[in-house]
Every structure is written in C-alpha cells, then in structure tokens.
Amino acid sequence: ANSNPKVWATRWTFILAATGSAVGLGNIWKFPYMTGVNGGGAFVITYLICIALVGIPIMMAETALGRHGRHNPIQTMFELAKENGASKNWGIIGIVGVLSGFLILSFYSVIAGWSLSYMVDGVSGVFPSLQGDAAGEHFSALIASPGKLILYHTIIMGFSAFIIARGIHEGLEKSVRFLMPALFVLLMLLLGYSAFTTGYFMEGIKFLFVPDFSKITSEAILAGMGHAFFTLSLSMGAIMAYGAYMPKDAKIGSTIVTVAFFDTFIALVAGMALFPIVFANGMEPASGPGLMFISLPAAFGQMAGGSIFGTLFFALVAIAALSSAISLVEPAVAWIIERFPVNRAMATIIVCALVWLLGLASVFSFNIWSEIKPFGKTIFDWLDYVTANILLPLGGMAIAIFAGWVMKKEIMEKELSLSHGGFTLWRWLIRIISPLAVFIVFLNSIS
Ligand code: PHE
Ligand code: NA
C-alpha cells in the first residue's frame, strides 16, 4: 500500500472514492424521478447509451488527464495545454469545471440535508402519520422553514469539511471505506424489502426496462445526456482531482469501467427498489422531484416495517450524498493549497464557507424567495438546469476535444492502458462520437 500523502493507497481505494463521488442523489433521487417523468424504459435506454458512448470515454479521459497532470484540475489543464503545445485558453476548462462544482455543491448539500431531515423524522416515527395530504404537507413544512433547511445544509457541509480537512488518507479514504459498504448493504436490504413485501416487483421491472419509444422527446434525450454527466461526476474537476492521486501503475481503462458499472448498477437497483413501492401504494411514477420526499415517505408509512426501512432509506441517501459532496470540495481545496500559501484545513474552511453561503440562495428559493423567478424558474431550478443541462455537457465536450485532439496520442494510450482495440474504440468515441453527440443533442434542445 502506498503511504505517499498524495496517492491513494491502492487502485481499489480510487475505485471506492470515485464510486463514492459518482453514486449520490443522482442515482437515488434524480434517476428514478427522471425515469418516472420521462416515461420509463425508453428513458433508461437513452441514458444507458449516453453512459456508454459519452460518459465512460470522457470519464476515462478525465482520470487520465488528472493522473498525467498530477495537480489540481485548474493547474493540470494549464500545464497539459502547455506540454502539448496548445493555447493556454484550454486552462479555462479547469476553471469552469471547479466553478460548476461549486454551484452544484451549493444546492446538492441542501437536498442532501432534506434526506438527513427525513432520516431524523424517521427515527422519531413520523412515517405512519404521513397519510393522504399529510405527506405533501410534511414536505411543504420542511422547505418552508429556512431555519431547518439551513441547519441540515450546515450539517452536511460540516461533515464534508471535517473529512476533506483530514486529507487523502485519513479523511477521504477512511470515510469511503466505511460509507461505501454501508451504502451497498442498505441498498440491498431495501431491494429485498421491496422485492419480497410489495408484490409489485415485476411492475417495477417492466416500467424500468420495457421501452415505449413514443415517450421520447428531444428534451428527454438532453435530460438523459445531462444526467449521464451528472451521475458520473464529470466535467467538474471531481474525477480529475481524484485521478491525480491515482497510483501510476493502475490501469485507468478497466478501473473506470468498474466505477461506471457500479454507478449504473446502483441507479438501476435504486429504481428496482423504489418503483414497486410507488406502484404498490397506487402512486404516480411521474410525480417529479417530490417522488422521493412525498410519495415514498407516504408509501413507507403504509407498509409493515416501513418506519424502519424508510429511515434506513434516508440514511442511505444521506450517505450517498455525503461521499459525493466531498468530491466536489476536493478540487477547489487542492487548487487553493497548490496556488496559495495556505494549509489544507484553512483551504477547506474557505471553500466550505463559500459554498455554504451560496447554498443559502437555494434554501431561500424554497421559501422567502420562492416568488423570485427570473424567466419562470426559481434560483434553485436555475442552478440545477444550468449546471446539468448546459455547463456539464459543454464542459464534457471540451474535455473530449482536448483529450482526443490536443493531447498526444501516446500519452493517452499509456495512461489508459487499454487493449489495442479498446484504445482505438476509445479514440473514435472521444474524438468524434462524444463531441458530436453532445453538440447535436444540445442544438436540438435549444431549437
Ligand atoms: N455524481 C453525483 C450523483 O450522481 C453528483 C456529483 C456530480 C458528485 C459531480 C460530484 C461531482 O449524485
Ligand atoms: Na451518480
């Protein structure tokens, strides 16, 4: 095992940390509700195609760029541009990435806080009382309370700061070694519960895997692609930062396939666990973002063992969100440490305090600022929309072009360690297919 403070102990710790980053609210909250809204199976297939053709190649590229640069994402992009004889402006990718990460974390932490709040409510036995309108009212009461939202947002940011301040080995590695197995066990318990007690398991499977292509709109395709970026934590510096700590001899190609497999597997299992619960209780799969915070708690309240499993479910969500949040703190912290004469603890405090402050805008957009809707969306909706549907796809496209056209072929070949055929395929995907896919999907959605 490696004791270099800037390198993961083993390839498996990278896998755990990168999977920790990837698996989050995207898998357990966003993926099921987007699937519900976009009509089920056809959306799932669109999303899987985006993961395979665009997500995985770009995730490999980001990891390889990170490891080759061995710095924070901003400095890495500037140095790689220089090393490969390209314009310094490519460095902007790093800056925009770290900034997007900031924006995402600011609202991500607020939603993670909702899960924590439901977990606490679950412990006090609230689910059985959430019948009929009570479930919606419970949720409305939570988001109407700036104090509660700020409290839980602060707890999430506080935990993230604590982990990141302790560094790569003592903080990141130790936390994911505990969090990821816990997440897996909880998810399997929930799947078993859903499969054996609801009686609607097959309805859930059909909804997820039997496509109805008449339901596919260009908006749904953009959403599927944006989500492929979001769910794999791409174009925000997170994976590039984690890649910078990867041992030199680890094979990036196969490692990333493993991480992407886990992320996809967990999203699908979350869907398989949740939809039967939704159907068994006669609820609408297309209820949108409220699916997890209104329909599910109500459903848990009606079921035998629902209080316990509901509480475990929200614990699972909070854990998944925490291991993602830390990966959004690390890139900015790494940048500050390398760029300014500041230690890790101080850099962590600066980053987390700024993100916390920005998070208040999301908090208030659910209550005291809920009427402020420039162009019809609240601040929270704008942050989500602009990051997932614009910044991430464009950032990903820029990374693909950089890795495919600017980076020297030999460097990428060596870093990825794919088979000959695998590398040829990767190069086609990264140079042509993924930039083109992003471009077309993007044009389609704005026209
Ligand atoms: N991938 C995370 C999820 O699915 C979200 C995330 C995005 C985390 C970017 C880190 C960086 O929830
Ligand atoms: Na994810």
Side-chain angles (χ1 to χ4, degrees):
N2 200 312
S3 59
N4 177 340
K6 292 197 68 180
V7 180
W8 302 114
T10 67
R11 164 175 172 268
W12 270 96
T13 19
F14 170 86
I15 293 182
L16 282 182
T19 306
S21 170
V23 174
L25 294 171
N27 305 56
I28 305 169
W29 171 60
K30 260 189 133 178
F31 173 74
Y33 93 65
M34 289 174 90
T35 304
V37 170
N38 292 300
F43 176 79
V44 173
I45 290 182
T46 312
Y47 157 81
L48 290 177
I49 293 174
C50 293
I51 292 279
L53 296 186
V54 182
I56 293 179
I58 294 181
M59 197 176 201
M60 288 182 185
E62 258 199 54
T63 315
L65 296 178
R67 184 171 71 183
H68 191 67
R70 275 278 190 253
H71 289 289
N72 67 80
I74 294 180
Q75 197 179 338
T76 286
M77 287 309 297
F78 278 110
E79 287 191 4
L80 293 182
K82 195 160 149 213
E83 180 200 44
N84 291 271
S87 156
K88 230 179 115 185
N89 290 334
W90 287 103
I92 295 170
I93 297 179
I95 299 176
V96 173
V98 173
L99 278 178
S100 318
F102 241 81
L103 294 179
I104 291 200
L105 182 56
S106 76
F107 69 81
Y108 199 85
S109 162
V110 175
I111 310 272
W114 296 358
S115 320
L116 212 52
S117 147
Y118 272 79
M119 184 186 100
V120 173
D121 294 344
V123 171
S124 63
V126 86
F127 296 129
S129 70
L130 300 182
Q131 302 307 317
D133 294 340
E137 282 159 14
H138 184 79
F139 179 64
S140 305
L142 169 66
I143 63 175
S145 159
K148 260 196 173 173
L149 296 188
I150 292 174
L151 170 70
Y152 288 110
H153 167 53
T154 308
I155 294 176
I156 296 284
M157 288 312 301
F159 270 114
S160 308
F162 178 75
I163 293 171
I164 291 295
R166 292 172 63 92
I168 296 161
H169 294 300
E170 286 301 304
L172 278 168
E173 283 188 355
K174 276 203 177 153
S175 64
V176 294
R177 276 194 187 145
F178 162 74
L179 293 174
M180 299 320 289
L183 184 148
F184 189 77
V185 170
L186 287 178
L187 188 64
M188 289 302 139
L189 276 177
L190 203 73
L191 180 68
Y193 175 69
S194 187
F196 294 117
T197 69
T198 59
Y200 278 78
F201 194 62
M202 282 323 286
E203 274 71 7
I205 299 281
K206 269 189 217 135
F207 183 71
L208 276 170
F209 296 109
V210 179
D212 170 2
F213 284 104
S214 66
K215 298 240 169 81
I216 279 295
T217 60
S218 64
E219 221 9 72
I221 298 178
L222 176 72
M225 199 181 62
H227 189 62
F229 285 101
F230 185 86
T231 194
L232 294 178
S233 303
L234 301 181
S235 47
M236 269 164 286
I239 293 301
M240 207 181 279
Y242 280 7
Y245 312 140
M246 196 154 166
K248 259 296 166 209
D249 53 359
K251 294 191 162 97
I252 290 179
S254 52
T255 304
I256 290 303
V257 170
T258 311
V259 174
F261 172 81
F262 284 149
D263 184 74
T264 308
F265 176 76
I266 289 179
L268 295 175
V269 172
M272 289 192 259
L274 299 189
F275 283 114
I277 297 178
V278 169
F279 291 134
N281 292 281
M283 286 156 177
E284 245 314 293
S287 59
L291 182 69
M292 193 171 102
F293 295 104
I294 300 172
S295 313
L296 275 177
F300 281 123
Q302 296 172 22
M303 301 167 73
S307 281
I308 294 172
F309 281 93
T311 307
L312 290 179
F313 170 71
F314 285 103
L316 160 84
V317 180
I319 288 175
L322 182 64
S323 62
S324 297
I326 55 181
S327 76
L328 284 168
V329 178
E330 180 63 21
V333 166
W335 175 69
I336 293 179
I337 300 174
E338 287 187 296
R339 181 75 176 64
F340 303 98
V342 164
N343 66 18
R344 177 169 272 270
M346 194 60 200
T348 306
I349 292 174
I350 295 172
V351 170
C352 291
L354 286 175
V355 171
W356 180 84
L357 206 62
L358 195 61
L360 298 185
S362 288
V363 165
F364 296 145
S365 71
F366 293 106
N367 34 70
I368 56 181
W369 292 351
S370 63
E371 289 314 309
I372 304 181
K373 288 186 177 167
F375 299 97
K377 285 192 204 298
T378 63
I379 300 173
F380 170 83
D381 290 335
W382 271 116
L383 283 170
D384 182 24
Y385 184 85
V386 170
T387 48
N389 289 17
I390 300 176
L391 289 174
L392 301 191
L394 288 187
M397 182 163 91
I399 290 173
I401 294 173
F402 185 83
W405 297 90
V406 175
M407 288 296 292
K408 293 194 182 83
K409 186 178 164 202
E410 307 72 57
I411 297 180
M412 295 310 288
E413 192 162 14
K414 188 161 156 283
E415 292 289 346
L416 295 178
S417 321
L418 289 160
S419 67
H420 181 70
F423 182 71
T424 309
L425 175 63
W426 174 83
R427 221 162 120 79
W428 268 96
L429 292 172
I430 205 83
R431 301 184 99 198
I432 318 274
I433 308 292
S434 22
L436 208 62
V438 175
F439 186 70
I440 293 172
V441 170
F442 208 71
L443 269 195
N444 246 314
S445 77
I446 55 178
S447 57

